[in-house]
Amino acid sequence: MHNQVTLIQHPLIQHKLTLMRKAETSTTKFRTLLKEISLLLAYEVTRDLPLKSEQIQTPLASMNAPMLAPDKKLVLVSVMRAGQGILDGMLELIPSARVGHIGLYRDPKTLIPIEYYFKVPHDVDKRDMLVVDPMLATGNSAVAAVERLKSTNPLSIKFVCLLAAPKGIERFCQAHPDVPLYTAAIDEHLDEHGYIIPGLGDAGDRLFGTK
Ligand code: URA
């Protein structure tokens, strides 16, 4: 495996992911599970956030206690539309993060990703960026999204997904060897429509109940 890839195999994540994969899992349950997993993913991907000591007073004594460094700011970027499912969970854990959105669709003839929406905070160049999208399938949209986001000059970028296909990982790591990639599982392959097998189906449809 590429050393820029981190496979997050916490038992709670694995269990919840299995529930998400089940075809009979309802939209409501799917959404709740993705939110819960996202809290755990956020915990993992923020492990390296720097701390600063602050003098505080407990009810019994004063102490030097760690706090997140105030100058370390995050921006979460959701790759629409399924990224919203991870975004909601992460924001619960990191409520002060700013939020960006990027929307891409695949041109049916050329298969090239076309941007249809792009909005990020104006101070993105002073923030570390977490790009979230549950499914890394062919890697085409992840590669295009990160390319576009790099042009806004964030301090750093990490890409966080739930499920990845080996082909998508390969493509992403070739295009962006400088961007750490986090995933909770690596599945077998893609089908002829670009779906991850065994996967969990269309993440957007399952999240929003559009099918
Ligand atoms: N996007 C999805 O939602 N599911 C897949 O399996 C692949 C891409």
Side-chain angles (χ1 to χ4, degrees), residues 135 137 194-196 201-204:
M135 310 298 272
Y195 281 100
I196 297 177
D202 187 298

Side-chain angles (χ1 to χ4, degrees), residues 34 38 77-89 101 132-135 203-204 207-208:
L34 183 54
S38 304
V77 179
S78 162
V79 181
M80 290 157 65
R81 66 189 160 135
Q84 202 63 34
I86 296 186
L87 181 68
D88 289 346
H101 287 89
V132 300
D133 189 356
M135 310 298 272
L207 188 59
F208 298 113

Side-chain angles (χ1 to χ4, degrees), residues 8-20 36-42 44 162 183-185:
I8 303 174
Q9 286 187 304
H10 191 288
L12 285 172
I13 296 183
Q14 297 308 308
H15 176 80
K16 288 172 190 293
L17 175 56
T18 298
L19 296 176
M20 288 181 74
E36 291 169 353
I37 291 180
S38 304
L39 291 169
L40 298 162
L41 292 175
E44 280 296 328
L162 177 65
T183 184

Side-chain angles (χ1 to χ4, degrees), residues 82 135-138 190 194-197 199-205:
M135 310 298 272
L136 181 66
T138 61
L190 298 175
Y195 281 100
I196 297 177
I197 304 296
L200 49 71
D202 187 298
D205 279 342

